[in-house]
Amino acid sequence: MIAIRQCSLKLAADGVGGAASAQGNDKIRVELDGCVEVFDLERAQEWTAKGVRILGIAGSLRQGSFNRALLRLAQEMAPSGMAIESFDITPIQPYNEDVRQQGFPKPVEDLRARIKAADGLLFVTPEYNYSIPGVLKNAIDWASRPPEQPFDGKPIGIMGASAGVLGGARAQYHLRQCFVF
């Protein structure tokens, strides 16, 4: 199952808007700004010991994008023990099953490997026509193809910057739907 939460970037360990409690011998329940998630305790301890590696993907190709800027800000503000690495989806070609049957293109292989290596993902996306940008959906389509679907079991965060009154809420809603496998 893929855990998708739209919570602000705060750590329960800091005591800011969150709390953690044990759930049996192998689970931990984390409440963070009204969102609740149950994590495998062994996995949580592993993250604490080695640090958390997040792969950030901006849904905009424009260099001056507010969403790219928001991703850079998240990288700068990441708490100690967390590293947010970004991946540029610009070189990913439009999805074509004929191409995929011959093997994944190099940029897609790189994306899939980096998703698999990350502890979690952070998507930062604008809203285009009440949904997510086609380039982001295209990257997700490429990365999610078998074999070995790399999104499986990855916690996913979603953020967006928008001048609109809803702040990209419809894009975030549609992005959540992309990860219901």
Side-chain angles (χ1 to χ4, degrees), residues 5 7-8 10-13 15-21 23 28-39:
R5 296 291 179 249
C7 297
S8 61
K10 292 182 181 177
L11 288 178
V16 182
S21 61
Q23 291 239 232
I28 187 166
R29 181 175 190 264
V30 178
E31 291 185 44
L32 198 62
D33 293 343
C35 295
V36 177
E37 188 62 62
V38 177
F39 291 98

Side-chain angles (χ1 to χ4, degrees), residues 77-127:
M77 295 185 70
S80 175
M82 177 186 286
I84 302 175
E85 174 187 359
S86 66
F87 184 87
D88 184 3
I89 60 175
T90 303
I92 297 177
Q93 68 185 56
Y95 182 78
N96 182 331
E97 180 64 18
D98 293 334
V99 173
R100 191 197 67 82
Q101 287 181 355
Q102 296 172 13
F104 290 108
K106 179 71 176 123
V108 174
E109 283 182 353
D110 187 28
L111 174 60
R112 288 172 54 90
R114 289 169 72 181
I115 290 170
K116 189 173 183 174
D119 296 314
L121 303 168
L122 175 61
F123 287 96
V124 187
T125 186
E127 182 174 303

Side-chain angles (χ1 to χ4, degrees), residues 57-61 89-90 92-95 125-142 171 174-175 178:
I57 299 172
S60 177
L61 302 182
I89 60 175
T90 303
I92 297 177
Q93 68 185 56
Y95 182 78
T125 186
E127 182 174 303
Y128 293 166
N129 299 321
Y130 300 96
S131 190
I132 61 175
V135 294
L136 180 56
K137 179 66 166 77
N138 181 62
I140 293 167
D141 287 345
W142 269 113
H174 285 174
L175 187 55
C178 292

Side-chain angles (χ1 to χ4, degrees), residues 60-78:
S60 177
L61 302 182
R62 188 171 64 88
Q63 290 300 313
S65 160
F66 292 129
N67 288 279
R68 282 183 178 238
L70 184 58
L71 178 54
R72 286 190 301 274
L73 182 62
Q75 289 173 305
E76 292 170 15
M77 295 185 70

